[in-house]
Amino acid sequence: ERQFDAAMKTAIRLGDYEDIVDTETIFSLVALTAYHNKYYQQCSKAFIKLEHSESIPAAQREKYGDLALSIFVMNPPRDPSRLMKTCQSCQASLHDWQIQCHSCYRRLEFCVVTGRSIFPDKSKGGVPSQTAQDEVIMGCKTCRHKMYQQEARRCRHCP
């Protein structure tokens, strides 16, 4: 299946684990998935990280720069406009791929199956039970992580 959107959101979340996974792996995945998902601004940000990382050899950083140039000559670094979600804490508008509110810096919970951020419904007292699209949120009985119920149906084991 070609699930570039879920792959990109999960790759962006890898940025939280730079102390465990090396920078080149993380941002190569972000650049690749964002490119295939046509999120060229996210792809550009990943290439900037790759080009300026001291842990990557200079020759490899130059190759990343050349690749970025060939991509962004044809595709301006802009993300497609999508529906915005609302931060539960400060009501700021957020993209569904964001992992943290740019206004209040609140970390967003996420679905462990897809990597999608979970935006709790404030009308339910802030409890992440259902989203605006009536997608039911559930917690794993083993690890207690949250996930969209419709995505969990595909799993045979704890993700």
Side-chain angles (χ1 to χ4, degrees), residues 22 25 50 59 68 70 79-80 82 89 103-104 108 112 119 128 130 144 148 153 157:
D22 67 284
T25 300
L50 290 168
S70 69
D79 291 339
R82 305 237 353 221
S89 297
S103 181
C104 69
L108 301 170
V112 294
F119 293 88
Q130 292 189 346
R144 303 205 191 281
Y148 289 104
R153 289 182 183 136
H157 306 285

Side-chain angles (χ1 to χ4, degrees), residues 3-136:
Q3 297 181 350
F4 297 124
D5 193 53
M8 181 190 77
K9 290 171 184 173
T10 303
I12 289 172
R13 289 229 173 250
L14 280 176
D16 288 346
Y17 302 97
E18 279 189 80
D19 57 329
I20 300 169
V21 182
D22 67 284
T23 303
E24 188 171 16
T25 300
I26 292 170
F27 293 102
S28 295
L29 281 170
V30 172
L32 181 66
T33 57
Y35 173 79
H36 284 289
N37 204 26
K38 298 184 178 14
Y39 275 72
Y40 299 117
Q41 184 175 6
Q42 298 312 304
C43 183
S44 174
K45 288 178 183 180
F47 272 111
I48 289 169
K49 290 269 195 181
L50 290 168
E51 291 176 62
H52 292 93
S53 174
E54 295 297 323
S55 64
I56 300 173
Q60 186 63 32
R61 290 193 316 238
E62 188 174 324
K63 288 179 182 179
Y64 284 128
D66 293 343
L67 180 58
L69 184 63
S70 69
I71 290 171
F72 300 118
V73 163
M74 307 265 288
N75 306 292
R78 279 182 256 153
D79 291 339
S81 60
R82 305 237 353 221
L83 287 172
M84 302 293 280
K85 304 282 186 167
T86 303
C87 175
Q88 178 186 7
S89 297
C90 70
Q91 305 305 308
S93 293
L94 305 172
H95 293 281
D96 65 346
W97 51 262
Q98 287 182 283
I99 61 175
Q100 179 176 335
C101 177
H102 57 82
S103 181
C104 69
Y105 304 106
R106 178 179 181 269
R107 305 284 303 162
L108 301 170
E109 292 183 295
F110 61 95
C111 171
V112 294
V113 179
T114 64
R116 289 170 40 202
S117 291
I118 295 174
F119 293 88
D121 186 354
K122 219 165 166 85
S123 67
K124 308 262 189 250
V127 177
S129 58
Q130 292 189 346
T131 63
Q133 297 96 5
D134 286 329
E135 294 178 309
V136 178

